[in-house]
Amino acid sequence: MLPFSIILKPGLPIAEQVIFAVKKSVVTGQMKPGQPFPSVRIVSQELRINPNTAHRIVAALVTEGVLVTTPAVGSVVAERILGDAGRRASLLARDLEQLAVEAKKLGLTLAELQEALADQWRRLSQR
Amino acid sequence: MNAIETHELTRHFAHTEALAGLNLVVPEGAVFALLGANGAGKSTALKILMNLLSPSGGSATVLGVESRRLGPVERAQIGYVSENQRLPLWMTVRQLLDYCRPFYLTWDRTLEAKLLAQFDLPPERKLKHLSRGMLMKAALLSSLAYRPRLLVLDEPFSGLDPLTRDDFMQGVIEASDFGRWTVLIASHDIEEVERFSDHVGLLESGRLRFSETTESLLRRFRRVELRSAGSLTRPAPLPAQWLDWEQSGELVRYVDTAYDPVRSAWEAFPGASVAALPMTLREILLVLARQQRRDRKGVAA
């Protein structure tokens, strides 16, 4: 069983979707620092995705500092990412850029975007 | 090294040209999906690669060997499963495996047992009494158990129910040997393929329309929607990379085949609000197929 939740949607690159799902589950605390991360083979089998793609996903998560690899143990969730807020926010840099681009394309103002974001934030905080 | 390479491969049948100069490159380690409509030449290409059919012209190399010279050494490293596989139907599943095993030095009995259980195959049942799905799984098992370096699948999913398809995919992944393992899969079943492949090629009338990584394909296609209070003028001529232009009042929709998030429609139409929506592989193929049909009519007219 995979320790993070994901429903793959067609049309979007699979690696991006999985990387986002993993980051999200780390940020929300679904996966804890030090927790073992499944092997490339397990990721590929569980999601029925190509092992090459699964390998790229794990490599990207290691590069971005979400996972750390120890030779004997495999990959585990990094201790540091939940450390300081700046580092946590940097995890979202790419997503924020994408959000800003999409919002501009839709003709939203920064205030409107912030309001929409705040709505979403409150919705999640209620749970 | 490339696992497969063809150069200007052609094949004529009595009245048709099945392949019209196919240049296909499948890098080693790729999971390559060869897509295309019925009659686009997928099966013909695969049969030539497996040396079950000889080409009319051009050449094909498989695992570094000319396809017409594929011998026992190469065959022992290739798994081929086709929709119309001929199997010794009088054998039981166990007899089939016993029969195949000695041909392969790399046959892995542990993997064989694992797949047999996972595929839920009845070992003592005769092949002729298996359902179509079971039969395909038996064929796949006998081609996966020796962990081939190259796996070639010709329409593996056609007519299979979702559970059998899932078993099938899981089996293929089970036998995979990361990085040293190449798969070429010809299929109509776009959903399975979209998840699984990292390269896609589209065959149209015996030629490749495109061949690239699945990611780059999904990245470059976008359905663009423009909305503007003023009027939007259709650029003339329409950029060649824009397809399916539709306009109704203040709303314009088209498909950008080379979408660039930085300089895209919002530069061409200042003031308009622009949304660029990702497309599924199925939608992309439909747009291209419609365009091909229009082009053909255009040529005929």
Side-chain angles (χ1 to χ4, degrees), chain B residues 163-199:
Chain B
L163 180 62
T164 307
R165 288 173 185 219
D166 195 63
D167 281 351
F168 206 95
M169 292 311 292
Q170 205 187 351
V172 170
I173 294 170
E174 189 79 47
S176 72
D177 189 1
F178 164 69
R180 291 186 297 139
W181 172 76
T182 310
V183 182
L184 174 61
I185 173 167
S187 181
H188 282 107
D189 293 272
I190 297 163
E191 273 78 23
E192 264 84 5
V193 157
E194 179 173 357
R195 261 194 187 207
F196 189 58
S197 64
D198 48 20
H199 288 69

Side-chain angles (χ1 to χ4, degrees), chain A:
Chain A
M1 203 184 83
L2 292 176
F4 54 92
S5 335
I6 184 166
I7 297 167
L8 286 175
K9 292 186 192 72
L12 297 166
I14 286 168
E16 273 178 25
Q17 294 187 59
V18 179
I19 289 168
F20 181 78
V22 172
K23 285 188 202 167
K24 195 172 140 195
S25 77
V26 170
V27 171
T28 58
Q30 194 189 1
M31 279 200 297
K32 304 268 185 289
Q35 185 180 340
F37 191 79
S39 66
V40 165
R41 183 163 290 267
I42 301 285
V43 172
S44 128
Q45 281 188 345
E46 290 281 330
L47 296 173
R48 304 286 188 272
I49 61 170
N50 180 329
N52 299 342
T53 310
H55 181 82
R56 268 197 305 124
I57 289 166
V58 174
L61 287 167
V62 170
T63 311
E64 294 190 41
V66 180
L67 301 179
V68 275
T69 318
T70 24
V73 189
S75 315
V76 297
V77 177
E79 297 286 347
R80 293 278 309 138
I81 36 169
L82 290 168
D84 54 293
R87 214 177 135 79
R88 267 179 285 162
S90 74
L91 275 179
L92 292 173
R94 254 172 55 197
D95 305 304
L96 287 173
E97 184 190 343
Q98 204 181 344
L99 184 64
V101 168
E102 296 295 325
K104 281 191 162 187
K105 281 190 280 187
L106 290 167
L108 293 177
T109 64
L110 178 58
E112 285 164 337
L113 176 63
Q114 282 170 335
E115 186 46 40
L117 183 63
D119 278 350
Q120 196 62 249
W121 190 274
R122 283 191 288 271
R123 203 169 63 80
L124 290 172
S125 312
Q126 278 164 11
R127 289 199 197 156

Side-chain angles (χ1 to χ4, degrees), chain B residues 69-261:
Chain B
R69 298 208 165 75
L70 284 183
V73 179
E74 291 80 30
R75 290 207 180 280
Q77 304 175 54
I78 302 173
Y80 173 68
V81 180
S82 121
E83 175 183 24
N84 309 309
Q85 192 105 15
R86 263 188 266 161
L87 290 164
L89 294 173
W90 65 91
M91 286 187 186
T92 64
V93 173
R94 193 177 301 287
Q95 283 166 343
L96 173 74
L97 297 173
D98 290 344
Y99 169 79
C100 292
R101 207 178 293 117
F103 289 104
Y104 304 98
L105 286 170
T106 54
W107 191 280
D108 180 342
R109 291 205 73 149
T110 316
L111 179 63
E112 175 198 324
K114 196 169 176 186
L115 290 175
L116 193 65
Q118 198 175 298
F119 285 176
D120 200 21
L121 282 168
E124 308 309 332
R125 196 174 302 169
K126 287 197 169 165
L127 299 185
K128 65 180 169 197
H129 295 136
L130 294 181
S131 67
R132 185 175 154 67
M134 287 282 193
L135 199 61
M136 287 301 283
K137 287 198 280 188
L140 182 69
L141 171 49
S142 69
S143 298
L144 285 181
Y146 52 96
R147 296 189 187 273
R149 268 175 74 196
L150 171 65
L151 182 64
V152 177
L153 304 172
D154 189 0
E155 292 293 351
F157 307 113
S158 62
L160 302 189
D161 62 72
L163 180 62
T164 307
R165 288 173 185 219
D166 195 63
D167 281 351
F168 206 95
M169 292 311 292
Q170 205 187 351
V172 170
I173 294 170
E174 189 79 47
S176 72
D177 189 1
F178 164 69
R180 291 186 297 139
W181 172 76
T182 310
V183 182
L184 174 61
I185 173 167
S187 181
H188 282 107
D189 293 272
I190 297 163
E191 273 78 23
E192 264 84 5
V193 157
E194 179 173 357
R195 261 194 187 207
F196 189 58
S197 64
D198 48 20
H199 288 69
V200 234
L202 177 65
L203 258 187
E204 264 179 16
S205 314
R207 273 194 206 92
L208 274 179
R209 169 84 180 256
F210 63 74
S211 177
E212 60 191 288
T213 66
T214 315
E215 267 197 37
S216 83
L217 182 74
L218 291 179
R219 226 181 272 286
R220 74 184 171 91
F221 273 81
R222 285 288 182 275
R223 187 175 295 285
V224 178
E225 277 191 17
L226 305 166
R227 235 173 247 280
S228 168
S231 67
L232 291 162
T233 344
R234 184 184 200 272
L238 210 60
Q241 69 184 61
W242 293 3
L243 303 175
D244 280 14
W245 173 281
E246 290 176 311
Q247 186 162 13
S248 158
E250 309 170 340
L251 179 67
V252 162
R253 255 190 219 118
Y254 65 91
V255 171
D256 195 339
T257 60
Y259 177 72
D260 176 346

